[in-house]
Amino acid sequence: MITKSQNVRYSRQILFTGIGEEGQSRMLNSRVVIIGCGALGSAQAESLARAGIGKLRIVDRDFVEFSNLQRQTMFTERDAAERLPKAIAAANHLREIDSNIEIKSEIADVNYSNVEQLIEDCDVVMDGTDNFVTRYLINDACVKHKINWIYGAAVGSYGVTMTIRPDVTPCLRCIFPEAPAAASAPTCDTAGVIMPIVSVVAAVQVSEALKLLTGNEENLHGSLMQFDVWRNEWRSISTGKPSGDCETCSLRKFESLAAESAEFAAVLCGRHAVQVSPSHPMRVDLTQLSERLAPAGEVKGNDYLLRFRTGEFEMTIFQDARSIIRGTDDISTARSLYAKFIGN
Ligand SMILES: [Zn+2]
């Protein structure tokens, strides 16, 4: 099952009693999806690639910026200068870490229309997102398809994580029936974030993934774990069984997967930017678009995106016709720029 070179590469992990040769072989035959490749996703992706997870799918909607480098360990100055999409930059680095595993990049915003397809055929989904809208989407899709997923969040010096196993543990909605009100919850925008808490949360998430993938379910922590590395607080609240009256896991109402609840424009945390998505899935020809936009402003780009500057705004346009519009926090301004330059 395990080749000679794999035996060498993973020797310290094979020696570990919880894993052994059988566990390693199971990991090499597993597929893990990482949704969001920012700080948490970077740490998860690197650990999982090094551990020899055979297939990794990296999903991210954004490109690398200099303000990411303080905590998003996957990326370098060159990635930021080239504005590479995070899913592409991460895959490039992961291939240098392990050229034998299969790594797939998905430059996409996770929404009701693609989430089920993105998590398809995978053994575990890792939460590397930064918002509850996407987490409820992941929760709905994972509960519906009975796929384990590992919630994680970090802001300031505080972090939280929980492992969700449909039918066995509570789901995200059992614990958080409603998303925290936008104004009350601290965000990376208002509270900043330091890298050590990211490392702690990602380490616990990855440990849980390894336990699930190697059949060590009895070692899962079974709780909502909370950490504060600045205040030195470590708490773990046992989560027990599913709540029994949850809309998602008991009544199987998958509200987030319904098109009516989809949001097509969203203000991005801490960026003075708004993301606008097309109302239906589509592809744009970036070369053609670039020619069309040239008379109206400065256009630059790479194989994956275009950057268009007009007045005080900067629009980044991806192949899936999404645009991140910088220079405003106002959704209607962003929508009208989108309509004017890209169409609808
Ligand atoms: Zn539930």
Side-chain angles (χ1 to χ4, degrees):
M1 292 284 258
I2 297 244
T3 66
K4 222 173 183 177
S5 64
Q6 287 171 337
N7 232 319
V8 173
R9 179 184 277 256
Y10 305 115
S11 58
R12 301 304 188 278
Q13 211 164 251
I14 291 170
L15 277 170
F16 178 68
T17 30
I19 295 180
E21 204 172 305
E22 199 207 317
Q24 187 62 56
S25 166
R26 288 171 75 154
M27 280 152 63
L28 286 162
N29 287 306
S30 300
R31 171 178 280 129
V32 174
V33 179
I34 296 167
I35 300 194
C37 196
L40 284 172
S42 280
Q44 296 158 7
E46 180 178 346
S47 298
L48 293 168
R50 289 190 190 276
I53 305 307
K55 298 184 185 86
L56 289 176
R57 188 180 293 152
I58 316 271
V59 186
D60 194 278
R61 67 183 179 186
D62 220 332
F63 52 87
V64 184
E65 295 186 281
F66 282 93
S67 65
N68 301 150
L69 303 180
Q70 160 257 350
R71 67 195 177 286
Q72 304 190 10
T73 51
M74 187 62 72
F75 310 120
T76 62
E77 289 184 348
R78 196 172 159 175
D79 298 326
E82 291 180 11
R83 293 185 148 229
L84 280 183
K86 291 181 184 179
I88 299 290
N92 292 344
H93 296 302
L94 293 173
R95 286 188 189 110
E96 289 189 336
I97 290 171
D98 190 335
S99 54
N100 299 305
I101 59 173
E102 181 188 310
I103 299 152
K104 196 155 185 268
S105 305
E106 299 277 0
I107 310 167
D109 183 39
V110 177
N111 59 44
Y112 76 95
S113 72
N114 62 10
V115 64
E116 292 178 76
Q117 188 192 327
L118 290 169
I119 64 157
E120 203 173 39
D121 306 330
C122 79
D123 300 292
V124 176
V125 176
M126 307 296 287
D127 175 13
T129 68
D130 60 359
N131 65 83
F132 262 80
V133 173
T134 316
R135 291 190 185 110
Y136 283 136
L137 274 166
I138 298 173
N139 190 58
D140 275 11
C142 286
V143 169
K144 183 174 172 189
H145 297 279
K146 298 191 193 299
I147 294 173
N148 299 317
W149 76 279
I150 306 173
Y151 159 61
V155 59
S157 57
Y158 168 82
V160 56
T161 178
M162 179 172 81
T163 301
I164 292 150
R165 298 163 70 200
D167 298 337
V168 180
T169 68
C171 78
L172 187 72
R173 220 178 263 279
C174 292
I175 306 286
F176 303 105
E178 307 272 340
S184 73
T187 63
C188 297
D189 188 9
T190 56
V193 59
I194 56 172
M195 191 178 138
I197 188 58
V198 172
S199 310
V200 169
V201 173
V204 175
Q205 286 180 288
V206 171
S207 307
E208 293 281 283
L210 299 187
K211 293 171 203 171
L212 285 167
L213 297 172
T214 55
N216 286 279
E217 283 83 357
E218 71 282 6
N219 289 96
L220 294 165
H221 60 68
S223 59
L224 182 73
M225 292 188 97
Q226 295 168 293
F227 321 94
D228 192 315
V229 294
W230 207 261
R231 294 177 167 177
N232 313 307
E233 291 165 358
W234 303 73
R235 229 176 332 188
S236 135
I237 304 160
S238 178
T239 44
K241 300 236 172 297
S243 72
D245 57 1
C246 167
E247 292 267 313
T248 308
C249 67
S250 308
L251 307 176
R252 298 187 70 78
K253 280 196 206 156
F254 304 116
E255 193 186 292
S256 302
L257 302 181
E260 305 87 78
S261 67
E263 285 183 32
F264 288 104
V267 177
L268 300 178
C269 166
R271 300 272 299 276
H272 194 41
V274 175
Q275 174 181 262
V276 180
S277 304
S279 53
H280 51 271
M282 60 187 276
R283 307 291 290 174
V284 288
D285 182 330
L286 294 179
T287 316
Q288 270 181 17
L289 182 62
S290 159
E291 286 162 11
R292 190 153 63 80
L293 292 176
E298 181 199 339
V299 188
K300 282 186 183 166
N302 56 37
D303 291 348
Y304 314 99
L305 56 83
L306 273 190
R307 188 168 29 140
F308 169 58
R309 218 184 274 276
T310 175
E312 74 228 69
F313 306 105
E314 185 191 280
M315 303 178 71
T316 300
I317 304 130
F318 297 86
Q319 282 169 330
D320 61 1
R322 258 180 324 115
S323 180
I324 292 176
I325 300 164
R326 198 172 357 193
T328 181
D329 288 312
D330 180 54
I331 286 183
S332 58
T333 305
R335 275 187 185 284
S336 67
L337 283 163
Y338 186 92
K340 184 169 169 195
F341 293 109
I342 303 166
N344 38 37

